[in-house]
Amino acid sequence: APPAIIAPSILSADFANLGEECSRTIKQGADWLHVDIMDGHFVPNLTFGPPVVVKIRSHVEKPTQRYGKGTFDCHMMIAEPKKWVKEFKKAGCDLYCFHYEAAISSTAAESPEDSSELKTSPRELIRYIHDQGMLAGIAIKPATEVDVLWDVLDSPHEKERPDMVLVMTVEPGFGGQKFMASVLPKVEALRERYPDLNIEVDGGLGPGTIDQAADAGANVIVAGSAVFGAKDPAEVISLLRDAVNK
Ligand code: DX5
Ligand code: ZN
């Protein structure tokens, strides 16, 4: 598996001090920042949009290389993933990770006349994200079978292949939920087929659950409450890293 990438989820940060929280987490050893974007539609919760991302971007140095330190890993829990690609690129997003479930059913309920433009296949959406100059990720919810990902991962066109797959280990929407070990066979299946793929896990990760996820083959580790709620976040970050790299 590729080396560990630790991506604290700022959903558990102090929103009144977001800029400082972001720069501090990077200083404490985080590689990426995981930025949870929720639209109150794809998931039953709301977080923040491009203007907030612009502001926090200025507190964290831009990565100097692909997958480098300071990468903004935007987890797009939104019903219309295609619609926001350009806006988030402009705001400073480096990796745009959309949900497979949203891409295949995005029909713009509020504005049916636009629906044909917003509907897009996962392959086309990945190509579009790459054309805008971002890394592309594709996420699946706990109930979605891993097999739906073979189509993009096996595409003959490099631009249609994702740079990362996110296997949700909780139902998306909220921080602080219980880790679902039942989804780990999906991570194992991905790792077996794609030894070099960046496989991210998100939800309920911390010192008590990291070993199972790492053994299954995950290397990109999101942790919200476990990092931001810790007395010593630096220690938790290095513990997570060591569990993956062991
Ligand atoms: C949940 C989000 C997660 C969340 C993880 O919908 O995608 O990124 O912040 O929080 P913890 O690590 O507390 O489960
Ligand atoms: Zn997330």
Side-chain angles (χ1 to χ4, degrees):
I5 293 172
I6 309 303
S9 164
I10 62 171
L11 188 59
S12 294
D14 173 5
F15 281 11
N17 282 302
L18 204 45
E20 217 175 286
E21 292 268 275
C22 291
S23 60
R24 186 173 56 93
T25 306
I26 294 289
K27 282 189 204 112
Q28 286 167 336
D31 300 292
W32 295 0
L33 286 182
H34 183 83
V35 183
D36 285 306
I37 309 295
M38 307 186 190
D39 67 353
H41 193 65
F42 181 72
V43 288
N45 196 7
L46 279 169
T47 53
F48 31 72
V52 176
V53 176
V54 169
K55 287 292 182 186
I56 58 176
R57 179 78 272 181
S58 70
H59 288 255
V60 177
E61 262 181 65
K62 264 281 198 188
T64 52
Q65 56 183 59
R66 274 159 68 89
Y67 310 107
K69 200 169 171 87
T71 292
F72 269 32
D73 166 26
C74 294
H75 177 193
M76 308 305 295
M77 287 163 274
I78 62 175
E80 293 172 7
K82 185 171 180 203
K83 186 171 169 179
W84 295 96
V85 170
K86 287 187 174 172
E87 280 295 320
F88 276 84
K89 169 63 187 175
K90 251 194 274 164
C93 165
D94 304 292
L95 190 161
Y96 190 97
C97 184
F98 66 90
H99 265 270
Y100 167 83
E101 302 84 0
I104 60 161
S105 69
S106 123
T107 50
E110 307 87 62
S111 49
E113 65 278 10
D114 293 345
S115 63
S116 58
E117 230 180 80
L118 292 167
K119 217 184 225 164
T120 178
S121 76
R123 279 193 188 196
E124 280 171 66
L125 186 48
I126 291 168
R127 180 182 283 275
Y128 183 61
I129 294 164
H130 283 148
D131 285 343
Q132 300 303 318
M134 291 184 285
L135 298 169
I138 183 166
I140 52 172
K141 298 207 278 185
T144 303
E145 298 286 340
V146 69
D147 313 47
V148 304
L149 298 174
W150 306 153
D151 181 63
V152 288
L153 287 166
D154 295 335
S155 167
H157 308 289
E158 198 188 337
K159 277 204 158 181
E160 295 177 352
R161 293 199 295 266
D163 303 289
M164 184 185 81
V165 163
L166 164 53
V167 176
M168 288 304 297
T169 45
V170 297
E171 270 321 319
F174 301 90
Q177 301 183 79
K178 191 175 176 288
F179 178 76
M180 295 168 69
S182 59
V183 307
L184 291 177
K186 297 197 278 191
V187 175
E188 284 164 12
L190 282 161
R191 181 54 74 215
E192 196 173 315
R193 272 174 81 127
Y194 308 101
D196 301 323
L197 179 65
N198 281 308
I199 305 176
E200 182 174 64
V201 282
D202 180 12
L205 271 306
T209 50
I210 185 61
D211 286 328
Q212 300 167 65
D215 289 348
N219 71 298
V220 185
I221 311 299
V222 177
S225 44
V227 168
F228 286 95
K231 262 206 207 106
D232 187 349
E235 192 190 326
V236 174
I237 289 168
S238 83
L239 182 153
L240 296 173
R241 187 187 309 287
D242 292 347
V244 173
N245 289 341
K246 76 176 178 259

PDB file of all heavy atoms in Angstrom, residues 89-110:
ATOM      1  N   LYS A  89     -12.592  24.674  -7.135  1.00  0.00           N
ATOM      2  CA  LYS A  89     -11.233  24.870  -7.661  1.00  0.00           C
ATOM      3  C   LYS A  89     -10.798  26.310  -7.354  1.00  0.00           C
ATOM      4  O   LYS A  89      -9.714  26.546  -6.827  1.00  0.00           O
ATOM      5  CB  LYS A  89     -11.214  24.597  -9.166  1.00  0.00           C
ATOM      6  CG  LYS A  89      -9.937  25.009  -9.867  1.00  0.00           C
ATOM      7  CD  LYS A  89      -8.722  24.231  -9.371  1.00  0.00           C
ATOM      8  CE  LYS A  89      -7.440  24.801  -9.971  1.00  0.00           C
ATOM      9  NZ  LYS A  89      -6.239  24.157  -9.434  1.00  0.00           N
ATOM     10  N   LYS A  90     -11.665  27.243  -7.663  1.00  0.00           N
ATOM     11  CA  LYS A  90     -11.357  28.659  -7.424  1.00  0.00           C
ATOM     12  C   LYS A  90     -11.117  28.936  -5.938  1.00  0.00           C
ATOM     13  O   LYS A  90     -10.276  29.739  -5.558  1.00  0.00           O
ATOM     14  CB  LYS A  90     -12.534  29.539  -7.892  1.00  0.00           C
ATOM     15  CG  LYS A  90     -12.238  30.354  -9.140  1.00  0.00           C
ATOM     16  CD  LYS A  90     -13.307  31.436  -9.344  1.00  0.00           C
ATOM     17  CE  LYS A  90     -14.506  30.899 -10.111  1.00  0.00           C
ATOM     18  NZ  LYS A  90     -15.710  31.732 -10.038  1.00  0.00           N
ATOM     19  N   ALA A  91     -11.857  28.247  -5.102  1.00  0.00           N
ATOM     20  CA  ALA A  91     -11.759  28.471  -3.653  1.00  0.00           C
ATOM     21  C   ALA A  91     -10.475  27.894  -3.061  1.00  0.00           C
ATOM     22  O   ALA A  91     -10.098  28.236  -1.940  1.00  0.00           O
ATOM     23  CB  ALA A  91     -12.968  27.866  -2.948  1.00  0.00           C
ATOM     24  N   GLY A  92      -9.809  26.977  -3.804  1.00  0.00           N
ATOM     25  CA  GLY A  92      -8.545  26.436  -3.309  1.00  0.00           C
ATOM     26  C   GLY A  92      -8.559  24.951  -2.996  1.00  0.00           C
ATOM     27  O   GLY A  92      -7.632  24.434  -2.372  1.00  0.00           O
ATOM     28  N   CYS A  93      -9.591  24.270  -3.446  1.00  0.00           N
ATOM     29  CA  CYS A  93      -9.657  22.812  -3.261  1.00  0.00           C
ATOM     30  C   CYS A  93      -8.605  22.141  -4.160  1.00  0.00           C
ATOM     31  O   CYS A  93      -8.410  22.540  -5.302  1.00  0.00           O
ATOM     32  CB  CYS A  93     -11.070  22.352  -3.625  1.00  0.00           C
ATOM     33  SG  CYS A  93     -11.260  20.594  -3.878  1.00  0.00           S
ATOM     34  N   ASP A  94      -7.929  21.121  -3.621  1.00  0.00           N
ATOM     35  CA  ASP A  94      -6.921  20.390  -4.402  1.00  0.00           C
ATOM     36  C   ASP A  94      -7.427  19.028  -4.853  1.00  0.00           C
ATOM     37  O   ASP A  94      -7.047  18.528  -5.894  1.00  0.00           O
ATOM     38  CB  ASP A  94      -5.654  20.164  -3.556  1.00  0.00           C
ATOM     39  CG  ASP A  94      -5.098  21.461  -3.039  1.00  0.00           C
ATOM     40  OD1 ASP A  94      -4.610  22.258  -3.851  1.00  0.00           O
ATOM     41  OD2 ASP A  94      -5.168  21.698  -1.803  1.00  0.00           O
ATOM     42  N   LEU A  95      -8.250  18.415  -4.019  1.00  0.00           N
ATOM     43  CA  LEU A  95      -8.787  17.093  -4.337  1.00  0.00           C
ATOM     44  C   LEU A  95     -10.302  17.166  -4.145  1.00  0.00           C
ATOM     45  O   LEU A  95     -10.780  17.490  -3.051  1.00  0.00           O
ATOM     46  CB  LEU A  95      -8.171  16.027  -3.418  1.00  0.00           C
ATOM     47  CG  LEU A  95      -8.423  14.564  -3.737  1.00  0.00           C
ATOM     48  CD1 LEU A  95      -7.392  13.684  -3.044  1.00  0.00           C
ATOM     49  CD2 LEU A  95      -9.822  14.075  -3.366  1.00  0.00           C
ATOM     50  N   TYR A  96     -11.025  16.907  -5.223  1.00  0.00           N
ATOM     51  CA  TYR A  96     -12.484  17.024  -5.210  1.00  0.00           C
ATOM     52  C   TYR A  96     -13.042  15.606  -5.189  1.00  0.00           C
ATOM     53  O   TYR A  96     -12.954  14.870  -6.174  1.00  0.00           O
ATOM     54  CB  TYR A  96     -12.920  17.781  -6.458  1.00  0.00           C
ATOM     55  CG  TYR A  96     -14.372  18.207  -6.518  1.00  0.00           C
ATOM     56  CD1 TYR A  96     -14.751  19.499  -6.146  1.00  0.00           C
ATOM     57  CD2 TYR A  96     -15.364  17.338  -7.004  1.00  0.00           C
ATOM     58  CE1 TYR A  96     -16.080  19.922  -6.240  1.00  0.00           C
ATOM     59  CE2 TYR A  96     -16.690  17.758  -7.093  1.00  0.00           C
ATOM     60  CZ  TYR A  96     -17.037  19.053  -6.705  1.00  0.00           C
ATOM     61  OH  TYR A  96     -18.348  19.473  -6.811  1.00  0.00           O
ATOM     62  N   CYS A  97     -13.585  15.211  -4.049  1.00  0.00           N
ATOM     63  CA  CYS A  97     -14.069  13.834  -3.885  1.00  0.00           C
ATOM     64  C   CYS A  97     -15.595  13.834  -3.843  1.00  0.00           C
ATOM     65  O   CYS A  97     -16.200  14.274  -2.871  1.00  0.00           O
ATOM     66  CB  CYS A  97     -13.492  13.236  -2.602  1.00  0.00           C
ATOM     67  SG  CYS A  97     -13.943  11.507  -2.361  1.00  0.00           S
ATOM     68  N   PHE A  98     -16.199  13.345  -4.925  1.00  0.00           N
ATOM     69  CA  PHE A  98     -17.665  13.339  -5.011  1.00  0.00           C
ATOM     70  C   PHE A  98     -18.216  11.967  -4.637  1.00  0.00           C
ATOM     71  O   PHE A  98     -17.484  10.967  -4.622  1.00  0.00           O
ATOM     72  CB  PHE A  98     -18.112  13.727  -6.431  1.00  0.00           C
ATOM     73  CG  PHE A  98     -17.727  12.724  -7.497  1.00  0.00           C
ATOM     74  CD1 PHE A  98     -18.585  11.679  -7.836  1.00  0.00           C
ATOM     75  CD2 PHE A  98     -16.507  12.811  -8.162  1.00  0.00           C
ATOM     76  CE1 PHE A  98     -18.231  10.738  -8.808  1.00  0.00           C
ATOM     77  CE2 PHE A  98     -16.142  11.877  -9.137  1.00  0.00           C
ATOM     78  CZ  PHE A  98     -17.005  10.849  -9.455  1.00  0.00           C
ATOM     79  N   HIS A  99     -19.508  11.925  -4.350  1.00  0.00           N
ATOM     80  CA  HIS A  99     -20.149  10.651  -4.051  1.00  0.00           C
ATOM     81  C   HIS A  99     -20.690  10.007  -5.317  1.00  0.00           C
ATOM     82  O   HIS A  99     -21.406  10.649  -6.088  1.00  0.00           O
ATOM     83  CB  HIS A  99     -21.272  10.830  -3.021  1.00  0.00           C
ATOM     84  CG  HIS A  99     -20.798  10.568  -1.626  1.00  0.00           C
ATOM     85  ND1 HIS A  99     -20.839   9.333  -1.044  1.00  0.00           N
ATOM     86  CD2 HIS A  99     -20.196  11.391  -0.733  1.00  0.00           C
ATOM     87  CE1 HIS A  99     -20.315   9.393   0.163  1.00  0.00           C
ATOM     88  NE2 HIS A  99     -19.914  10.631   0.378  1.00  0.00           N
ATOM     89  N   TYR A 100     -20.347   8.748  -5.499  1.00  0.00           N
ATOM     90  CA  TYR A 100     -20.879   7.957  -6.612  1.00  0.00           C
ATOM     91  C   TYR A 100     -22.406   8.047  -6.662  1.00  0.00           C
ATOM     92  O   TYR A 100     -22.993   8.259  -7.719  1.00  0.00           O
ATOM     93  CB  TYR A 100     -20.425   6.496  -6.446  1.00  0.00           C
ATOM     94  CG  TYR A 100     -21.159   5.535  -7.337  1.00  0.00           C
ATOM     95  CD1 TYR A 100     -20.765   5.356  -8.656  1.00  0.00           C
ATOM     96  CD2 TYR A 100     -22.266   4.817  -6.861  1.00  0.00           C
ATOM     97  CE1 TYR A 100     -21.469   4.498  -9.491  1.00  0.00           C
ATOM     98  CE2 TYR A 100     -22.966   3.956  -7.680  1.00  0.00           C
ATOM     99  CZ  TYR A 100     -22.565   3.801  -8.994  1.00  0.00           C
ATOM    100  OH  TYR A 100     -23.277   2.966  -9.816  1.00  0.00           O
ATOM    101  N   GLU A 101     -23.045   7.934  -5.493  1.00  0.00           N
ATOM    102  CA  GLU A 101     -24.514   7.898  -5.434  1.00  0.00           C
ATOM    103  C   GLU A 101     -25.115   9.204  -5.946  1.00  0.00           C
ATOM    104  O   GLU A 101     -26.193   9.205  -6.552  1.00  0.00           O
ATOM    105  CB  GLU A 101     -24.989   7.657  -3.990  1.00  0.00           C
ATOM    106  CG  GLU A 101     -24.459   6.373  -3.334  1.00  0.00           C
ATOM    107  CD  GLU A 101     -23.066   6.550  -2.708  1.00  0.00           C
ATOM    108  OE1 GLU A 101     -22.512   7.660  -2.788  1.00  0.00           O
ATOM    109  OE2 GLU A 101     -22.539   5.561  -2.157  1.00  0.00           O
ATOM    110  N   ALA A 102     -24.453  10.315  -5.686  1.00  0.00           N
ATOM    111  CA  ALA A 102     -24.955  11.618  -6.135  1.00  0.00           C
ATOM    112  C   ALA A 102     -24.750  11.769  -7.641  1.00  0.00           C
ATOM    113  O   ALA A 102     -25.623  12.269  -8.352  1.00  0.00           O
ATOM    114  CB  ALA A 102     -24.242  12.742  -5.395  1.00  0.00           C
ATOM    115  N   ALA A 103     -23.597  11.323  -8.116  1.00  0.00           N
ATOM    116  CA  ALA A 103     -23.298  11.480  -9.548  1.00  0.00           C
ATOM    117  C   ALA A 103     -24.311  10.732 -10.401  1.00  0.00           C
ATOM    118  O   ALA A 103     -24.793  11.263 -11.404  1.00  0.00           O
ATOM    119  CB  ALA A 103     -21.883  10.985  -9.851  1.00  0.00           C
ATOM    120  N   ILE A 104     -24.663   9.519  -9.986  1.00  0.00           N
ATOM    121  CA  ILE A 104     -25.556   8.742 -10.851  1.00  0.00           C
ATOM    122  C   ILE A 104     -27.014   9.175 -10.742  1.00  0.00           C
ATOM    123  O   ILE A 104     -27.811   8.838 -11.597  1.00  0.00           O
ATOM    124  CB  ILE A 104     -25.454   7.212 -10.599  1.00  0.00           C
ATOM    125  CG1 ILE A 104     -25.810   6.869  -9.150  1.00  0.00           C
ATOM    126  CG2 ILE A 104     -24.064   6.698 -10.954  1.00  0.00           C
ATOM    127  CD1 ILE A 104     -26.176   5.411  -8.982  1.00  0.00           C
ATOM    128  N   SER A 105     -27.380   9.945  -9.716  1.00  0.00           N
ATOM    129  CA  SER A 105     -28.792  10.307  -9.603  1.00  0.00           C
ATOM    130  C   SER A 105     -29.008  11.804  -9.607  1.00  0.00           C
ATOM    131  O   SER A 105     -30.109  12.277  -9.344  1.00  0.00           O
ATOM    132  CB  SER A 105     -29.376   9.712  -8.323  1.00  0.00           C
ATOM    133  OG  SER A 105     -28.809  10.367  -7.225  1.00  0.00           O
ATOM    134  N   SER A 106     -27.962  12.579  -9.900  1.00  0.00           N
ATOM    135  CA  SER A 106     -28.115  14.017  -9.816  1.00  0.00           C
ATOM    136  C   SER A 106     -28.980  14.533 -10.959  1.00  0.00           C
ATOM    137  O   SER A 106     -28.610  14.495 -12.116  1.00  0.00           O
ATOM    138  CB  SER A 106     -26.732  14.676  -9.777  1.00  0.00           C
ATOM    139  OG  SER A 106     -26.575  15.590 -10.795  1.00  0.00           O
ATOM    140  N   THR A 107     -30.181  14.982 -10.611  1.00  0.00           N
ATOM    141  CA  THR A 107     -31.113  15.436 -11.629  1.00  0.00           C
ATOM    142  C   THR A 107     -31.669  16.803 -11.288  1.00  0.00           C
ATOM    143  O   THR A 107     -32.677  17.225 -11.832  1.00  0.00           O
ATOM    144  CB  THR A 107     -32.293  14.455 -11.782  1.00  0.00           C
ATOM    145  OG1 THR A 107     -32.828  14.196 -10.483  1.00  0.00           O
ATOM    146  CG2 THR A 107     -31.873  13.159 -12.421  1.00  0.00           C
ATOM    147  N   ALA A 108     -31.012  17.515 -10.391  1.00  0.00           N
ATOM    148  CA  ALA A 108     -31.390  18.890 -10.093  1.00  0.00           C
ATOM    149  C   ALA A 108     -32.884  19.066  -9.884  1.00  0.00           C
ATOM    150  O   ALA A 108     -33.574  19.698 -10.665  1.00  0.00           O
ATOM    151  CB  ALA A 108     -30.920  19.810 -11.210  1.00  0.00           C
ATOM    152  N   ALA A 109     -33.380  18.517  -8.783  1.00  0.00           N
ATOM    153  CA  ALA A 109     -34.808  18.545  -8.489  1.00  0.00           C
ATOM    154  C   ALA A 109     -35.407  19.954  -8.515  1.00  0.00           C
ATOM    155  O   ALA A 109     -36.529  20.148  -8.958  1.00  0.00           O
ATOM    156  CB  ALA A 109     -35.064  17.914  -7.126  1.00  0.00           C
ATOM    157  N   GLU A 110     -34.612  20.934  -8.075  1.00  0.00           N
ATOM    158  CA  GLU A 110     -35.159  22.301  -7.986  1.00  0.00           C
ATOM    159  C   GLU A 110     -35.274  22.960  -9.350  1.00  0.00           C
ATOM    160  O   GLU A 110     -36.063  23.858  -9.545  1.00  0.00           O
ATOM    161  CB  GLU A 110     -34.290  23.203  -7.089  1.00  0.00           C
ATOM    162  CG  GLU A 110     -34.011  22.663  -5.698  1.00  0.00           C
ATOM    163  CD  GLU A 110     -32.783  21.771  -5.685  1.00  0.00           C
ATOM    164  OE1 GLU A 110     -31.706  22.264  -5.993  1.00  0.00           O
ATOM    165  OE2 GLU A 110     -32.930  20.576  -5.404  1.00  0.00           O
TER     166      GLU A 110
END
